[in-house]
Amino acid sequence: TGWASAMARLFTFLLTLLGVHLVAAAFKICAFNIRSFGRAKAANQKVMGALVQILSRCDITAIQEVRDSRGIAIQMLLRELNRYDRSHHYSRLESKRLGRGSYKEQNVFVYRMDVVSIIDWRQFEDEKIGNTEAFVRGPFAARFHSLFTAILDFVLIVHHTSPREAAHELNLLFDMCKELMEQWKTENVMVLGDLNAAGAYIPANAWARIRLRQDLGFHWLISDTEDTTVSHRTCCAYDRIIVHGEELLGAVVPRSAKAFNFTQALGLSEEEALGISDHYPVEVNLRLAPKAQREL
């Protein structure tokens, strides 16, 4: 009937308004391992179309596994992202190319520069600590500032652990966090990325030796039971978000940390989804600042 149709349209309109309100009610931080992201993926319209839909949900995304030595792929991604979402302007901060051998990759922070700014950054080197090998790929850190969030300043450390060295590198990240806290005089630090922190990469008896896990000041927001992998054949929480600092933890929206299943959200087959990545992004929301603070 006409009445039923009108009510359906009204219901849809109200849901749309609610969706807009919910999107605007929090500041979203994401981490996404876009497996081997280079010029081949950047030239694939279907892949790029999906990527901009995924990334446009986030105020900051820490991207891992950027493989293009000439930097063209990430430029193309930013261009398409800014075309897709004209309500914001996206910029980027790139790490150096990381890796000990011929295999190199980058970490890249993609962020809405009209909402958040970068006030400092640091690239940790692939160096030895004493006689011990440090990281296969050094962590990349940035200090962010935003008037829109309930916390003005916070530090993000993105890292992609070497699978064979995952337990060792997770333990070393504890030292990197403490070093940054001292350098930047803040307790509010978030570690995020593909940490390979699950499955055979972290034997059960290794957890007790990982200070990043055992220290009560660090809060692991992505649980061990979360599946951050695309393939139906795997179920592992490789990708994590770890928060330090009571102020930052207090700014986190409860139960907002999760993997974003873009296979379901975008209506993709498993094969199509794997063409984008074998990882799902992980995400967490921060509460927005009071209106008065946002208008400063």
Side-chain angles (χ1 to χ4, degrees):
T1 66
W3 179 85
S5 177
M7 289 302 293
R9 288 195 299 272
L10 176 61
F11 182 67
T12 301
F13 176 70
L14 290 174
L15 281 179
T16 302
L17 285 181
L18 178 61
V20 170
H21 173 73
L22 290 175
V23 168
F27 179 100
K28 190 179 293 294
I29 299 173
C30 305
F32 190 13
N33 180 339
I34 308 176
R35 179 175 60 176
S36 296
F37 181 67
R39 277 168 281 173
K41 280 190 174 180
N44 186 312
Q45 291 185 350
K46 287 186 177 180
V47 169
M48 286 289 271
L51 285 175
V52 296
Q53 290 183 72
I54 295 166
L55 297 180
S56 66
R57 301 172 62 256
C58 309
D59 293 280
I60 303 172
T61 304
I63 298 175
Q64 301 111 73
E65 271 201 44
V66 176
R67 294 291 317 281
D68 180 15
S69 62
R70 294 172 61 188
I72 295 172
I74 200 69
Q75 292 176 26
M76 293 172 66
L77 180 60
L78 262 290
R79 185 171 64 246
E80 291 304 312
L81 186 56
N82 280 308
R83 284 177 179 171
Y84 177 80
D85 180 9
R86 296 185 181 273
S87 63
H88 296 285
H89 184 73
Y90 294 84
S91 188
R92 70 187 188 274
L93 177 68
E94 302 178 34
S95 76
K96 70 173 190 176
R97 298 186 67 228
L98 304 164
R100 293 177 187 157
S102 58
Y103 178 92
K104 303 285 186 183
E105 62 183 60
Q106 285 177 293
N107 295 315
V108 179
F109 288 111
V110 171
Y111 63 99
R112 292 171 173 168
M113 63 181 302
D114 54 300
V115 175
V116 62
S117 59
I118 293 175
I119 56 178
D120 206 349
W121 60 273
R122 179 171 173 185
Q123 172 68 67
F124 287 94
E125 299 300 321
D126 314 329
E127 58 192 13
K128 290 187 176 182
I129 299 176
N131 293 320
T132 305
E133 292 289 348
F135 299 98
V136 173
R137 296 175 288 266
F140 188 46
R143 186 172 187 176
F144 290 88
H145 175 82
S146 178
L147 294 176
F148 288 83
T149 56
I151 181 171
L152 285 172
D153 295 280
F154 52 91
V155 175
L156 301 184
I157 304 175
V158 58
H159 186 49
H160 181 198
T161 67
S162 168
R164 289 179 294 181
E165 301 291 336
H168 172 63
E169 292 191 8
L170 279 174
N171 193 41
L172 290 180
L173 278 170
F174 179 88
D175 298 310
M176 301 300 99
C177 289
K178 292 295 185 180
E179 189 173 327
L180 277 180
M181 290 178 207
E182 175 63 26
Q183 178 184 348
W184 286 338
K185 306 302 179 188
T186 180
E187 294 287 316
N188 300 314
V189 173
M190 181 183 296
V191 179
L192 68 172
D194 176 9
L195 303 181
N196 287 300
Y201 299 135
I202 311 287
N205 61 2
W207 285 112
R209 301 190 300 274
I210 297 174
R211 291 167 293 165
L212 197 69
R213 179 67 167 234
Q214 298 304 319
D215 189 288
L216 296 179
F218 291 88
H219 305 271
W220 289 54
L221 302 186
I222 302 295
S223 74
D224 294 345
T225 58
E226 188 85 11
D227 185 11
T228 71
T229 63
V230 173
S231 173
H232 294 154
R233 296 183 296 276
T234 55
C235 183
C236 294
Y238 290 138
D239 305 79
R240 301 292 188 126
I241 297 174
I242 306 161
V243 166
H244 183 279
E246 293 306 312
E247 189 180 12
L248 180 54
L249 182 64
V252 169
V253 175
R255 296 179 296 280
S256 65
K258 62 183 185 297
F260 175 62
N261 187 326
F262 60 76
T263 305
Q264 292 180 1
L266 302 182
L268 305 175
S269 68
E270 182 180 6
E271 182 180 3
E272 289 171 329
L274 286 170
I276 298 164
S277 180
D278 55 347
H279 290 256
Y280 287 130
V282 287
E283 61 185 42
V284 66
N285 292 343
L286 301 184
R287 291 184 292 105
L288 293 185
K291 187 172 184 289
Q293 181 177 318
R294 299 204 306 273
E295 291 178 347
L296 290 176

